[in-house]
């Protein structure tokens, strides 16, 4: 597609449930990033993919968070046993090497 | 450590000029980005500076001084639609960006 797409746009879940967030990057972009942004806060880096591998997972807050990328394209971010503090907007971005990042519209996650 | 500082909030008048400053201390530098983020939306790319000096793009200009660890974003002829947060980000390598917390710009008529 023309831009980065994410699904769902909104997700409301109950505490303790697992959620999967999906990101479709811009075709041909080798790098893919996941960020988290709480209301009124800056971007919190979660994980970076180069192709299918994740050289930097340093931002994942806990072992409840995991991500994978297949075929050098689509990525899923999985949060297991969600907690209320996981509520935030989860943003995905992609970029060609050495260039700026292009962001998707985000998934707003609300954990009740 | 890595540190990027921007003012938390600024207010300006429609039609005026505003300068948003960003200072950084990072181990490694591969360029500086400015992004605009409207409330409830994803950030969008504004500018990229890798060499010292001023880059002008329409009403928006961005300046970089690598020796001073300093950049600014200059917005001219402010419009109400320019009300947004402006994020400064430093590239440390081909992939890693360090993000500032953003400056919320409020435009008043």
């Amino acid at each position: 597609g023309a831009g980065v797409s994410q699904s769902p746009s909104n997700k409301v879940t109950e505490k303790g449930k697992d959620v999967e967030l999906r990101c479709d990057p811009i075709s041909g972009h080798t790098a893919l990033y996941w960020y988290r942004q709480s209301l009124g806060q800056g971007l919190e880096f979660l994980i970076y993919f180069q192709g299918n591998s994740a050289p930097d997972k340093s931002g994942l807050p806990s072992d409840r968070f995991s991500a994978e990328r297949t075929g050098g394209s689509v990525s899923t971010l999985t949060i297991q046993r969600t907690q209320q503090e996981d509520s935030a907007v989860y943003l995905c971005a992609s970029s060609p090497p050495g260039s700026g990042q292009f962001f998707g519209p985000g998934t707003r996650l609300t954990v009740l | 450590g890595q540190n990027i500082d921007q003012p938390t909030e600024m207010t300006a008048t429609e039609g005026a000029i505003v300068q948003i400053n960003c200072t950084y201390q990072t181990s490694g530098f591969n360029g500086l980005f400015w992004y605009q983020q409207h409330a409830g939306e994803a950030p969008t790319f504004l500018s990229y500076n890798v060499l010292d000096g001023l880059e002008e793009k329409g009403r928006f200009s961005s300046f970089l001084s690598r020796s001073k660890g300093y950049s600014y974003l200059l917005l001219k002829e402010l419009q109400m639609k320019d009300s947004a947060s402006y994020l400064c980000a430093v590239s440390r390598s081909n992939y890693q960006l360090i993000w500032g917390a953003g400056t919320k710009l409020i435009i008043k008529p």
Side-chain angles (χ1 to χ4, degrees), chain B residues 51-106:
Chain B
L51 300 176
D52 290 351
L54 187 68
E55 296 273 346
E56 297 187 71
K57 191 186 296 185
R59 294 189 298 115
F60 292 9
S61 303
S62 57
F63 171 83
L64 174 68
S65 169
R66 288 171 296 172
S67 62
K68 295 181 180 177
Y70 168 68
S71 173
Y72 67 72
L73 181 69
L74 191 71
L75 292 75
K76 303 176 186 175
E77 301 167 18
L78 285 170
Q79 302 175 9
M80 297 303 293
K81 67 178 182 180
D82 297 330
S83 292
S85 286
Y86 291 85
L87 309 176
C88 172
V90 172
S91 173
R92 290 179 55 206
S93 67
N94 265 353
Y95 78 87
Q96 188 178 29
L97 288 185
I98 309 297
W99 293 84
T103 298
K104 182 178 180 181
L105 178 63
I106 300 168

Side-chain angles (χ1 to χ4, degrees), chain B residues 11-18 77-80 105-109:
Chain B
T11 303
T13 305
E14 189 177 15
I17 299 173
V18 71
E77 301 167 18
L78 285 170
Q79 302 175 9
M80 297 303 293
L105 178 63
I106 300 168
I107 310 295
K108 296 186 175 179

Side-chain angles (χ1 to χ4, degrees), chain A residues 17-112:
Chain A
K17 296 284 180 69
D18 297 351
V19 294
E20 268 194 8
L21 312 180
R22 176 187 168 108
C23 172
D24 280 273
I26 293 172
S27 177
H29 281 192
T30 54
L32 186 147
Y33 308 78
W34 283 100
Y35 293 93
R36 180 167 72 173
Q37 188 174 34
S38 300
L39 188 64
Q41 302 298 310
L43 295 175
E44 177 186 1
F45 170 78
L46 297 179
I47 189 170
Y48 152 73
F49 286 93
Q50 180 62 40
N52 289 337
S53 65
D56 190 347
K57 304 179 182 179
S58 62
L60 294 178
S62 75
D63 58 8
R64 296 187 295 106
F65 288 71
S66 63
E68 64 175 14
R69 188 180 185 194
T70 55
S73 181
V74 172
S75 177
T76 54
L77 176 69
T78 301
I79 309 172
Q80 295 177 308
R81 304 180 303 281
T82 52
Q83 304 294 313
Q84 287 182 333
E85 61 262 29
D86 300 334
S87 296
V89 175
Y90 288 81
L91 290 163
C92 174
S94 70
S95 75
S99 182
Q101 298 176 13
F102 296 83
F103 284 82
T107 294
R108 182 175 299 278
L109 176 66
T110 303
V111 182
L112 302 176

